[in-house]
Amino acid sequence: MRAAGEALWYNGTAMKKGIYAFSGDPITFGHVHVIEKAVPLYERLYVAVGVNPDKSYLFTLEEREEMARRVLGHLPTVEVCSFRGLLVDFAYEHCIDEIVRGLRDSTDMEYEVRTKAINDSQRLGISTIFIPCDDDKAHIASGAVKALQREQGLIHEYVPLYVKQKLEERISGQFIVGLTGGISTGKTLFARLLAEEAARRGIECHHLDLDQNVHYILGPSAEPRYQLCRRKLIERFGSEIALPDGAINRRRLGQIVFGDP
């Protein structure tokens, strides 16, 4: 692997290098969005995971670097590294031309402009460029992702799958396995055997059977949300699928749905 300070040359001319620094605790689709925008601007873009002794991190430095490498592996001109101290010093020592900063909103702009002025005051000749996030990425932040996971919220639109798995493991103590397949392929048997093996190993295991969940929702369950769901089904498919106790006649509903090409 090429060291961060090693110069790149093409036809005898040094190539332009940039650096994007972040804590990466964890890396999100917002970070990836800015990095992908910056990639075409440089022959080499360093993604530097920072170490701030005044901050407490959910993941270790090694874990944050590993997540970044996995997530950014599709970008061949990106190199993940880490740094301590002033970013502008690190950029100067490694002959990096520009610092890349992402902007989500006006609050980010105020902070980044001040940071740029501080970097410029070091008189090291390192310039800074700002890359605005698209509107659909502006709400994504590492802190928000961690807060959502603590409450079992949906985070699949915030972070890549590998990072999602690491957050579930670290925050919620979970490892989620999705089991799917056609009719009579052994899904139920496999799920039972998996639960039995987990029990033998002393691992808490929860089998969430979607068929059972749907049967409960379509049955005479009292929750207002499920009552509304059944009313909408009756509106869509007709009163013939309604049972006297408020449940849905699943057999009749199936005949209607699967009998319509």
Side-chain angles (χ1 to χ4, degrees), residues 33-84:
H33 174 63
V34 171
I35 291 167
E36 289 179 337
K37 278 190 167 184
V39 161
L41 305 177
Y42 305 100
E43 295 293 340
R44 176 74 68 181
L45 177 65
Y46 296 98
V47 174
V49 181
V51 178
N52 185 340
D54 296 327
K55 290 184 64 175
S56 60
Y57 297 104
L58 179 65
F59 296 100
T60 66
L61 175 61
E62 292 74 22
E63 289 171 330
R64 288 181 281 141
E65 286 188 85
E66 171 64 15
M67 285 189 286
R69 288 193 179 95
R70 283 194 178 228
V71 170
L72 302 174
H74 64 292
L75 301 172
T77 60
V78 166
E79 183 171 321
V80 176
C81 59
S82 62
F83 76 99
R84 289 174 170 80

Side-chain angles (χ1 to χ4, degrees), residues 183-233:
I183 297 173
S184 299
T185 55
K187 299 186 298 295
T188 301
L189 174 61
F190 183 84
R192 179 172 61 81
L193 293 174
L194 186 63
E196 291 175 357
E197 179 63 23
R200 277 194 292 269
R201 298 186 181 206
I203 300 172
E204 185 177 4
C205 178
H206 302 274
H207 176 206
L208 306 180
D209 189 324
L210 297 188
D211 283 341
Q212 292 180 6
N213 292 345
V214 171
H215 294 172
Y216 179 81
I217 292 170
L218 297 184
S221 48
E223 290 84 350
R225 175 60 61 184
Y226 303 153
Q227 292 179 5
L228 175 62
C229 175
R230 295 195 295 273
R231 286 199 299 270
K232 287 185 176 293
L233 284 171

